[in-house]
Amino acid sequence: MNPTTFSELLTDISDEYIVSAANPHSKPIHWYQVSAIAACIVLLMAAAIYPKLRIQTPEIAVPPESVAEVITSTTTAPEIAEYTETQTATSPLQTTFDSVTATVSTTASVAGSAVVTETGTKTVTELPETDAHTKTEPTKVEQPVNTEQPHTTDPAITEFTQPATTSSVTDNPELTVGSIPATVSTAQLTTDTLQTVSLPTQTSATETEPVDPLGIARTLFETFISENHLPARIADEAQYPDFTEKIIIEWDPASDIDVEHLILQFAKENHIDGYLFILHQVAPGAIIGDSDTMLVHK
Amino acid sequence: MNDQAIISLFEQRNEQAISESNQQYGALCRSVARDITGNDEDAEECLNDAMLAAWNAIPPAKPKNFCAYLLKLVRNAAHDRYRAAHTMKRNAANIAGSIDELAEIIPDRGDVVDEVERREMIGAINRYLHGLPQNQRDLFVRRYWYATDIAALSKMFHMTESHVTMTLSRLRKRLQKHLRKEGLL
Protein backbone atom coordinates (compact mmCIF):
# COMPACT_ATOMS: atom_id res chain seq x y z
CA MET A 1 0.00 0.00 0.00
CA ASN A 2 1.24 3.42 -0.82
CA PRO A 3 -0.09 6.83 0.32
CA THR A 4 -2.06 7.37 -2.86
CA THR A 5 -3.80 4.04 -2.46
CA PHE A 6 -4.46 4.83 1.15
CA SER A 7 -5.98 8.15 0.10
CA GLU A 8 -8.22 6.30 -2.36
CA LEU A 9 -9.17 3.90 0.40
CA LEU A 10 -10.41 6.79 2.44
CA THR A 11 -13.15 7.25 -0.14
CA ASP A 12 -15.06 4.37 1.38
CA ILE A 13 -15.16 5.59 4.97
CA SER A 14 -18.49 5.94 6.68
CA ASP A 15 -20.99 8.26 5.05
CA GLU A 16 -21.69 9.85 8.42
CA TYR A 17 -18.19 11.24 8.67
CA ILE A 18 -18.25 12.53 5.10
CA VAL A 19 -21.51 14.38 5.53
CA SER A 20 -20.49 15.70 8.93
CA ALA A 21 -17.28 17.11 7.53
CA ALA A 22 -19.15 18.70 4.60
CA ASN A 23 -20.57 21.30 6.98
CA PRO A 24 -18.30 21.50 10.00
CA HIS A 25 -19.84 23.34 12.92
CA SER A 26 -17.04 25.08 14.64
CA LYS A 27 -18.01 28.06 16.67
CA PRO A 28 -15.62 30.93 16.34
CA ILE A 29 -14.21 32.46 19.48
CA HIS A 30 -15.75 35.84 20.04
CA TRP A 31 -13.19 37.77 21.97
CA TYR A 32 -15.62 40.47 22.90
CA GLN A 33 -17.63 37.82 24.71
CA VAL A 34 -14.54 36.75 26.61
CA SER A 35 -13.85 40.37 27.53
CA ALA A 36 -17.41 40.87 28.69
CA ILE A 37 -17.32 37.74 30.83
CA ALA A 38 -14.00 38.78 32.36
CA ALA A 39 -15.38 42.22 33.14
CA CYS A 40 -18.43 40.69 34.80
CA ILE A 41 -16.23 38.47 36.95
CA VAL A 42 -14.12 41.43 38.00
CA LEU A 43 -17.22 43.44 38.87
CA LEU A 44 -18.69 40.60 40.90
CA MET A 45 -15.45 40.14 42.81
CA ALA A 46 -15.22 43.85 43.47
CA ALA A 47 -18.81 43.95 44.67
CA ALA A 48 -18.14 41.08 47.01
CA ILE A 49 -14.86 42.31 48.40
CA TYR A 50 -15.29 46.07 48.56
CA PRO A 51 -17.92 46.13 51.34
CA LYS A 52 -15.67 43.96 53.49
CA LEU A 53 -12.80 46.30 52.90
CA ARG A 54 -14.90 49.22 54.02
CA ILE A 55 -15.95 47.50 57.21
CA GLN A 56 -12.49 46.49 58.24
CA THR A 57 -10.62 48.97 60.38
CA PRO A 58 -6.88 48.99 60.66
CA GLU A 59 -5.65 47.29 63.74
CA ILE A 60 -3.58 49.43 66.07
CA ALA A 61 -0.88 47.34 67.55
CA VAL A 62 -0.47 48.34 71.18
CA PRO A 63 2.52 46.73 72.78
CA PRO A 64 1.78 45.30 76.19
CA GLU A 65 3.04 47.73 78.67
CA SER A 66 2.86 47.28 82.34
CA VAL A 67 2.25 50.01 84.81
CA ALA A 68 5.72 49.63 86.10
CA GLU A 69 7.16 50.28 82.69
CA VAL A 70 5.02 53.32 82.24
CA ILE A 71 6.00 54.74 85.54
CA THR A 72 9.62 54.05 84.97
CA SER A 73 9.52 55.75 81.66
CA THR A 74 7.76 58.80 83.00
CA THR A 75 9.92 59.26 86.04
CA THR A 76 12.76 61.49 85.20
CA ALA A 77 15.68 62.63 87.21
CA PRO A 78 14.51 66.24 87.54
CA GLU A 79 11.20 65.06 88.87
CA ILE A 80 12.86 62.93 91.48
CA ALA A 81 15.01 65.82 92.53
CA GLU A 82 11.96 68.03 92.81
CA TYR A 83 10.24 65.45 94.88
CA THR A 84 13.19 65.21 97.21
CA GLU A 85 13.09 68.91 97.74
CA THR A 86 9.43 68.75 98.60
CA GLN A 87 10.04 66.10 101.13
CA THR A 88 12.83 68.00 102.68
CA ALA A 89 10.57 70.95 103.03
CA THR A 90 7.78 69.00 104.65
CA SER A 91 9.88 67.01 107.00
CA PRO A 92 10.53 69.75 109.54
CA LEU A 93 6.82 70.19 109.89
CA GLN A 94 6.57 66.87 111.54
CA THR A 95 9.12 67.75 114.12
CA THR A 96 7.20 70.79 115.24
CA PHE A 97 4.67 68.69 117.01
CA ASP A 98 5.57 67.71 120.46
CA SER A 99 3.59 64.57 120.49
CA VAL A 100 3.71 62.77 117.26
CA THR A 101 1.92 59.59 117.73
CA ALA A 102 3.26 56.30 116.80
CA THR A 103 0.67 56.07 114.10
CA VAL A 104 1.98 59.13 112.47
CA SER A 105 5.47 57.85 112.50
CA THR A 106 4.27 54.61 111.08
CA THR A 107 2.56 56.37 108.29
CA ALA A 108 5.66 58.27 107.56
CA SER A 109 7.67 55.14 107.50
CA VAL A 110 5.37 53.54 105.03
CA ALA A 111 4.67 56.33 102.70
CA GLY A 112 7.66 58.44 103.28
CA SER A 113 5.65 61.44 102.28
CA ALA A 114 3.23 62.01 105.05
CA VAL A 115 2.02 65.43 105.90
CA VAL A 116 0.97 65.46 109.48
CA THR A 117 -1.40 67.91 110.98
CA GLU A 118 -2.82 67.87 114.40
CA THR A 119 -6.05 69.59 115.20
CA GLY A 120 -7.33 69.35 118.66
CA THR A 121 -8.08 65.91 119.69
CA LYS A 122 -7.46 64.05 116.51
CA THR A 123 -4.76 63.63 114.04
CA VAL A 124 -5.38 63.73 110.36
CA THR A 125 -2.99 62.01 108.15
CA GLU A 126 -3.11 62.72 104.49
CA LEU A 127 -1.22 61.10 101.81
CA PRO A 128 -0.42 63.10 98.74
CA GLU A 129 -1.73 62.31 95.32
CA THR A 130 -0.18 59.34 93.83
CA ASP A 131 2.20 60.18 91.12
CA ALA A 132 5.22 58.74 89.58
CA HIS A 133 7.37 59.66 92.55
CA THR A 134 5.32 57.88 95.09
CA LYS A 135 5.09 54.85 92.92
CA THR A 136 8.79 54.69 92.51
CA GLU A 137 9.56 54.88 96.15
CA PRO A 138 10.26 51.64 97.90
CA THR A 139 7.34 49.75 99.28
CA LYS A 140 9.19 47.13 101.19
CA VAL A 141 7.83 47.09 104.67
CA GLU A 142 8.72 43.91 106.32
CA GLN A 143 6.79 44.21 109.51
CA PRO A 144 4.18 46.50 110.82
CA VAL A 145 5.36 49.04 113.24
CA ASN A 146 4.49 48.42 116.76
CA THR A 147 2.58 51.49 117.57
CA GLU A 148 2.79 50.88 121.26
CA GLN A 149 6.47 51.49 121.30
CA PRO A 150 7.31 55.10 121.75
CA HIS A 151 9.84 56.40 119.41
CA THR A 152 10.78 59.58 117.73
CA THR A 153 10.80 60.58 114.22
CA ASP A 154 13.86 61.66 112.44
CA PRO A 155 13.45 65.16 111.16
CA ALA A 156 15.39 64.32 108.06
CA ILE A 157 12.90 62.11 106.38
CA THR A 158 14.45 61.08 103.15
CA GLU A 159 12.79 60.44 99.96
CA PHE A 160 12.32 56.78 100.03
CA THR A 161 12.77 55.35 103.42
CA GLN A 162 12.29 55.99 107.03
CA PRO A 163 15.53 56.30 108.89
CA ALA A 164 16.60 53.92 111.52
CA THR A 165 14.50 55.64 114.15
CA THR A 166 11.63 53.43 113.15
CA SER A 167 13.24 50.33 114.31
CA SER A 168 10.63 48.02 112.95
CA VAL A 169 11.30 49.01 109.40
CA THR A 170 13.57 46.71 107.55
CA ASP A 171 17.21 47.40 107.83
CA ASN A 172 17.90 46.55 104.26
CA PRO A 173 18.65 49.86 102.58
CA GLU A 174 18.71 48.43 99.10
CA LEU A 175 15.80 50.04 97.51
CA THR A 176 15.11 50.05 93.86
CA VAL A 177 13.48 52.97 92.24
CA GLY A 178 10.89 52.07 89.71
CA SER A 179 10.23 48.54 90.81
CA ILE A 180 6.62 48.37 91.72
CA PRO A 181 5.13 44.99 92.31
CA ALA A 182 1.84 44.59 90.60
CA THR A 183 0.62 42.19 93.20
CA VAL A 184 2.06 42.29 96.65
CA SER A 185 1.70 39.49 99.06
CA THR A 186 0.76 40.50 102.49
CA ALA A 187 1.80 37.29 104.07
CA GLN A 188 4.60 39.04 105.84
CA LEU A 189 2.26 41.16 107.82
CA THR A 190 1.62 40.28 111.37
CA THR A 191 -2.09 40.32 110.88
CA ASP A 192 -3.27 37.09 109.46
CA THR A 193 -6.46 38.45 108.12
CA LEU A 194 -4.96 40.35 105.27
CA GLN A 195 -5.54 39.14 101.80
CA THR A 196 -3.94 39.77 98.53
CA VAL A 197 -5.76 42.14 96.29
CA SER A 198 -4.72 42.84 92.79
CA LEU A 199 -5.30 45.95 90.82
CA PRO A 200 -5.42 45.99 87.11
CA THR A 201 -1.87 46.79 86.20
CA GLN A 202 -2.13 47.34 82.53
CA THR A 203 -3.46 50.28 80.67
CA SER A 204 -4.24 50.12 77.03
CA ALA A 205 -4.45 52.96 74.61
CA THR A 206 -7.33 51.34 72.84
CA GLU A 207 -9.58 51.08 75.87
CA THR A 208 -12.84 52.77 75.21
CA GLU A 209 -14.62 52.17 78.48
CA PRO A 210 -14.24 55.00 80.98
CA VAL A 211 -12.18 54.02 83.96
CA ASP A 212 -13.17 55.16 87.40
CA PRO A 213 -10.09 54.63 89.52
CA LEU A 214 -11.77 56.13 92.55
CA GLY A 215 -14.61 53.66 92.29
CA ILE A 216 -12.20 50.80 91.90
CA ALA A 217 -10.24 51.94 94.92
CA ARG A 218 -13.40 52.28 96.96
CA THR A 219 -14.45 48.78 96.01
CA LEU A 220 -11.08 47.44 97.01
CA PHE A 221 -11.18 49.16 100.36
CA GLU A 222 -14.67 47.96 101.04
CA THR A 223 -13.73 44.44 100.19
CA PHE A 224 -10.63 44.61 102.30
CA ILE A 225 -12.42 45.98 105.34
CA SER A 226 -15.32 43.60 105.15
CA GLU A 227 -13.31 40.50 104.50
CA ASN A 228 -10.89 41.24 107.31
CA HIS A 229 -13.58 42.43 109.71
CA LEU A 230 -11.70 45.58 110.49
CA PRO A 231 -13.25 48.11 112.85
CA ALA A 232 -13.44 50.68 110.13
CA ARG A 233 -15.77 51.94 107.51
CA ILE A 234 -15.79 54.14 104.46
CA ALA A 235 -17.37 57.42 105.37
CA ASP A 236 -19.98 59.21 103.37
CA GLU A 237 -18.23 61.59 101.05
CA ALA A 238 -21.04 64.09 101.35
CA GLN A 239 -20.07 64.73 104.93
CA TYR A 240 -16.57 65.71 103.92
CA PRO A 241 -17.01 68.12 101.08
CA ASP A 242 -13.52 69.47 101.56
CA PHE A 243 -11.92 66.23 100.52
CA THR A 244 -12.93 65.63 96.98
CA GLU A 245 -11.59 62.69 95.05
CA LYS A 246 -10.71 61.01 98.32
CA ILE A 247 -11.88 57.93 100.06
CA ILE A 248 -12.39 58.75 103.70
CA ILE A 249 -12.01 55.85 106.05
CA GLU A 250 -12.97 56.08 109.67
CA TRP A 251 -11.52 53.64 112.11
CA ASP A 252 -11.18 53.03 115.80
CA PRO A 253 -7.63 53.38 117.08
CA ALA A 254 -8.58 51.73 120.32
CA SER A 255 -8.94 48.41 118.62
CA ASP A 256 -6.37 45.75 119.10
CA ILE A 257 -5.80 45.66 115.40
CA ASP A 258 -3.65 48.31 113.87
CA VAL A 259 -6.30 49.24 111.38
CA GLU A 260 -4.64 52.29 109.98
CA HIS A 261 -1.44 50.49 109.29
CA LEU A 262 -3.21 47.64 107.61
CA ILE A 263 -5.23 49.97 105.46
CA LEU A 264 -2.20 51.96 104.53
CA GLN A 265 -0.30 48.83 103.78
CA PHE A 266 -3.13 47.58 101.65
CA ALA A 267 -3.39 50.90 99.84
CA LYS A 268 0.30 50.92 99.24
CA GLU A 269 0.41 47.46 97.92
CA ASN A 270 -2.41 48.14 95.53
CA HIS A 271 -1.28 51.60 94.54
CA ILE A 272 -4.43 53.29 95.64
CA ASP A 273 -3.00 55.23 98.50
CA GLY A 274 -3.34 58.41 96.48
CA TYR A 275 -7.09 58.24 96.93
CA LEU A 276 -6.90 57.60 100.65
CA PHE A 277 -7.86 59.91 103.46
CA ILE A 278 -7.95 58.44 106.91
CA LEU A 279 -9.83 59.68 109.91
CA HIS A 280 -9.55 58.01 113.21
CA GLN A 281 -10.58 58.50 116.73
CA VAL A 282 -8.19 59.76 119.28
CA ALA A 283 -10.10 58.53 122.28
CA PRO A 284 -12.02 55.31 122.37
CA GLY A 285 -15.72 55.76 122.14
CA ALA A 286 -15.53 59.22 120.73
CA ILE A 287 -17.64 60.31 117.87
CA ILE A 288 -15.91 59.85 114.58
CA GLY A 289 -15.68 62.87 112.44
CA ASP A 290 -17.07 66.26 113.01
CA SER A 291 -20.62 65.39 112.35
CA ASP A 292 -22.87 64.25 115.12
CA THR A 293 -24.52 61.80 112.83
CA MET A 294 -21.44 59.71 112.56
CA LEU A 295 -21.56 56.32 113.98
CA VAL A 296 -19.70 55.56 117.13
CA HIS A 297 -17.42 52.62 116.89
CA LYS A 298 -16.61 50.62 119.88
CA MET B 1 -36.08 18.45 -2.82
CA ASN B 2 -34.82 15.86 -0.42
CA ASP B 3 -32.59 12.88 -1.14
CA GLN B 4 -35.46 10.39 -1.31
CA ALA B 5 -37.23 12.44 -3.95
CA ILE B 6 -34.06 12.67 -6.02
CA ILE B 7 -33.53 8.93 -5.72
CA SER B 8 -37.12 8.41 -6.81
CA LEU B 9 -36.43 10.49 -9.91
CA PHE B 10 -33.41 8.32 -10.63
CA GLU B 11 -35.52 5.18 -10.22
CA GLN B 12 -38.14 6.65 -12.55
CA ARG B 13 -35.35 7.32 -15.01
CA ASN B 14 -36.34 10.96 -14.97
CA GLU B 15 -33.55 13.22 -16.23
CA GLN B 16 -34.69 15.84 -13.78
CA ALA B 17 -32.82 13.75 -11.21
CA ILE B 18 -29.53 14.95 -12.74
CA SER B 19 -30.49 18.60 -12.58
CA GLU B 20 -31.84 18.28 -9.02
CA SER B 21 -28.69 16.52 -7.88
CA ASN B 22 -26.56 19.17 -9.54
CA GLN B 23 -28.58 21.90 -7.90
CA GLN B 24 -28.47 20.23 -4.51
CA TYR B 25 -24.87 19.00 -4.32
CA GLY B 26 -23.16 20.36 -7.41
CA ALA B 27 -21.11 23.02 -5.63
CA LEU B 28 -19.89 20.66 -2.96
CA CYS B 29 -18.97 18.02 -5.51
CA ARG B 30 -17.13 20.57 -7.65
CA SER B 31 -15.09 21.76 -4.65
CA VAL B 32 -14.07 18.21 -3.80
CA ALA B 33 -13.11 17.48 -7.38
CA ARG B 34 -11.30 20.79 -7.73
CA ASP B 35 -9.24 20.18 -4.56
CA ILE B 36 -8.19 16.80 -5.88
CA THR B 37 -7.64 17.55 -9.54
CA GLY B 38 -6.46 21.07 -9.11
CA ASN B 39 -8.45 22.73 -11.90
CA ASP B 40 -12.06 23.59 -12.65
CA GLU B 41 -12.27 21.84 -15.97
CA ASP B 42 -11.23 18.49 -14.53
CA ALA B 43 -13.57 19.13 -11.62
CA GLU B 44 -16.50 19.71 -13.96
CA GLU B 45 -15.67 16.57 -15.88
CA CYS B 46 -15.38 14.67 -12.62
CA LEU B 47 -18.86 15.91 -11.65
CA ASN B 48 -20.29 14.82 -15.00
CA ASP B 49 -18.63 11.43 -14.62
CA ALA B 50 -20.11 11.09 -11.15
CA MET B 51 -23.62 11.99 -12.37
CA LEU B 52 -23.37 9.46 -15.17
CA ALA B 53 -22.18 6.81 -12.72
CA ALA B 54 -25.13 7.56 -10.43
CA TRP B 55 -27.57 7.41 -13.37
CA ASN B 56 -26.20 4.00 -14.30
CA ALA B 57 -26.11 2.70 -10.71
CA ILE B 58 -29.55 3.83 -9.51
CA PRO B 59 -31.40 1.54 -9.79
CA PRO B 60 -30.65 -1.07 -8.70
CA ALA B 61 -28.48 0.75 -6.13
CA LYS B 62 -30.47 2.55 -3.48
CA PRO B 63 -28.04 4.60 -1.41
CA LYS B 64 -28.95 5.38 2.20
CA ASN B 65 -27.09 8.67 2.10
CA PHE B 66 -27.32 10.14 -1.39
CA CYS B 67 -24.99 13.06 -0.60
CA ALA B 68 -22.18 10.81 0.61
CA TYR B 69 -22.83 8.44 -2.29
CA LEU B 70 -22.52 11.21 -4.83
CA LEU B 71 -19.43 12.67 -3.11
CA LYS B 72 -17.74 9.28 -3.19
CA LEU B 73 -18.47 9.00 -6.89
CA VAL B 74 -16.98 12.43 -7.48
CA ARG B 75 -13.94 11.62 -5.37
CA ASN B 76 -13.32 8.38 -7.23
CA ALA B 77 -13.55 10.18 -10.53
CA ALA B 78 -11.25 12.88 -9.28
CA HIS B 79 -8.76 10.34 -8.04
CA ASP B 80 -8.78 8.64 -11.42
CA ARG B 81 -8.00 11.94 -13.06
CA TYR B 82 -5.40 12.69 -10.41
CA ARG B 83 -3.75 9.36 -11.01
CA ALA B 84 -3.66 10.01 -14.77
CA ALA B 85 -2.30 13.51 -14.26
CA HIS B 86 0.28 12.27 -11.77
CA THR B 87 1.42 9.69 -14.28
CA MET B 88 1.85 12.45 -16.83
CA LYS B 89 3.78 14.50 -14.16
CA ARG B 90 1.13 17.13 -14.06
CA ASN B 91 1.02 18.92 -10.77
CA ALA B 92 -2.15 18.33 -8.90
CA ALA B 93 -3.31 20.80 -6.36
CA ASN B 94 -4.26 20.08 -2.76
CA ILE B 95 -4.44 16.29 -2.94
CA ALA B 96 -0.69 16.13 -3.48
CA GLY B 97 -0.04 17.83 -0.16
CA SER B 98 -2.41 15.58 1.72
CA ILE B 99 -0.91 12.46 0.14
CA ASP B 100 2.56 13.64 1.05
CA GLU B 101 1.43 14.03 4.61
CA LEU B 102 -0.04 10.54 4.58
CA ALA B 103 3.26 9.23 3.25
CA GLU B 104 4.71 10.05 6.69
CA ILE B 105 2.68 7.25 8.23
CA ILE B 106 1.94 4.91 5.30
CA PRO B 107 4.99 3.09 3.95
CA ASP B 108 5.10 2.59 0.19
CA ARG B 109 4.76 -1.15 -0.40
CA GLY B 110 3.23 -1.01 -3.87
CA ASP B 111 -0.23 -0.10 -4.97
CA VAL B 112 -1.71 -3.56 -5.14
CA VAL B 113 -4.28 -4.05 -2.40
CA ASP B 114 -6.52 -7.04 -2.28
CA GLU B 115 -10.14 -6.78 -1.31
CA VAL B 116 -9.65 -8.31 2.15
CA GLU B 117 -6.91 -5.88 3.06
CA ARG B 118 -8.98 -3.05 1.67
CA ARG B 119 -11.99 -3.92 3.83
CA GLU B 120 -9.86 -4.35 6.94
CA MET B 121 -8.19 -1.01 6.34
CA ILE B 122 -11.50 0.78 5.84
CA GLY B 123 -12.88 -0.78 9.02
CA ALA B 124 -9.82 0.27 10.99
CA ILE B 125 -10.05 3.83 9.68
CA ASN B 126 -13.72 4.01 10.59
CA ARG B 127 -12.97 2.81 14.11
CA TYR B 128 -10.20 5.34 14.36
CA LEU B 129 -12.47 8.14 13.23
CA HIS B 130 -15.17 6.96 15.60
CA GLY B 131 -12.80 7.45 18.53
CA LEU B 132 -12.02 11.05 17.66
CA PRO B 133 -13.86 14.12 18.86
CA GLN B 134 -16.16 15.47 16.17
CA ASN B 135 -14.12 18.59 15.62
CA GLN B 136 -10.90 16.66 15.10
CA ARG B 137 -12.71 14.03 13.00
CA ASP B 138 -14.15 16.72 10.74
CA LEU B 139 -10.74 18.29 10.44
CA PHE B 140 -9.15 14.97 9.50
CA VAL B 141 -11.83 14.12 6.93
CA ARG B 142 -11.73 17.61 5.51
CA ARG B 143 -8.00 17.41 5.00
CA TYR B 144 -7.58 13.81 3.78
CA TRP B 145 -10.93 13.09 2.17
CA TYR B 146 -11.96 16.47 0.79
CA ALA B 147 -8.31 17.50 0.30
CA THR B 148 -9.03 20.98 1.63
CA ASP B 149 -5.92 23.11 2.00
CA ILE B 150 -4.59 24.38 5.33
CA ALA B 151 -5.58 28.01 4.82
CA ALA B 152 -9.18 27.08 4.08
CA LEU B 153 -9.24 24.75 7.07
CA SER B 154 -8.00 27.48 9.40
CA LYS B 155 -10.88 29.71 8.30
CA MET B 156 -13.36 26.89 8.35
CA PHE B 157 -12.46 25.73 11.85
CA HIS B 158 -11.54 29.16 13.23
CA MET B 159 -8.01 28.06 14.02
CA THR B 160 -4.60 29.38 13.11
CA GLU B 161 -2.77 27.60 10.32
CA SER B 162 -0.05 26.46 12.71
CA HIS B 163 -2.70 25.09 15.02
CA VAL B 164 -4.29 23.22 12.12
CA THR B 165 -0.94 21.82 11.06
CA MET B 166 -0.10 20.74 14.59
CA THR B 167 -3.49 19.11 15.10
CA LEU B 168 -3.25 17.22 11.82
CA SER B 169 0.23 16.01 12.69
CA ARG B 170 -1.03 14.61 15.99
CA LEU B 171 -3.99 13.00 14.24
CA ARG B 172 -1.72 11.28 11.73
CA LYS B 173 0.53 9.92 14.45
CA ARG B 174 -2.49 8.66 16.32
CA LEU B 175 -3.77 6.99 13.13
CA GLN B 176 -0.42 5.32 12.58
CA LYS B 177 -0.43 4.04 16.16
CA HIS B 178 -3.98 2.79 15.67
CA LEU B 179 -3.20 0.96 12.42
CA ARG B 180 -0.11 -0.63 13.96
CA LYS B 181 -2.15 -1.75 16.90
CA GLU B 182 -4.58 -3.40 14.45
CA GLY B 183 -1.68 -5.04 12.61
CA LEU B 184 -2.28 -3.24 9.32
CA LEU B 185 1.08 -1.46 9.14
Side-chain angles (χ1 to χ4, degrees), chain A residues 6 10, chain B residues 101-102 104-106 124-125 128-144 150 153 157 159 163-179 185:
Chain A
F6 184 83
L10 288 177
Chain B
E101 291 173 6
L102 290 174
E104 297 175 2
I105 61 170
I106 305 297
I125 293 170
Y128 164 76
L129 293 174
H130 182 73
L132 292 179
Q134 183 178 356
N135 197 41
Q136 294 183 8
R137 182 172 60 226
D138 290 344
L139 184 66
F140 183 89
V141 172
R142 263 286 167 181
R143 177 58 179 160
Y144 301 111
I150 301 295
L153 287 175
F157 289 88
M159 300 163 64
H163 190 191
V164 170
T165 305
M166 181 63 66
T167 304
L168 289 173
S169 174
R170 289 172 181 170
L171 290 173
R172 287 195 304 271
K173 289 180 180 177
R174 197 182 299 180
L175 172 63
Q176 185 183 35
K177 186 177 180 181
H178 176 78
L179 294 177
L185 289 181

Side-chain angles (χ1 to χ4, degrees), chain B residues 22 25 39-40 74 79 85 125 171 175:
Chain B
N22 204 357
Y25 302 110
N39 62 78
D40 292 337
V74 170
H79 261 284
I125 293 170
L171 290 173
L175 172 63

Side-chain angles (χ1 to χ4, degrees), chain A residues 1 8 11-12 15 18, chain B residues 72 75 83 107 118 142 146:
Chain A
M1 183 180 294
E8 292 173 359
T11 306
D12 293 330
D15 296 345
I18 296 170
Chain B
K72 286 179 179 179
R75 192 173 191 270
R83 189 188 298 271
R118 180 186 177 87
R142 263 286 167 181
Y146 287 85

Side-chain angles (χ1 to χ4, degrees), chain A residues 7-23:
Chain A
S7 178
E8 292 173 359
L9 276 178
L10 288 177
T11 306
D12 293 330
I13 63 173
S14 175
D15 296 345
E16 175 189 356
Y17 305 145
I18 296 170
V19 175
S20 174
N23 299 302

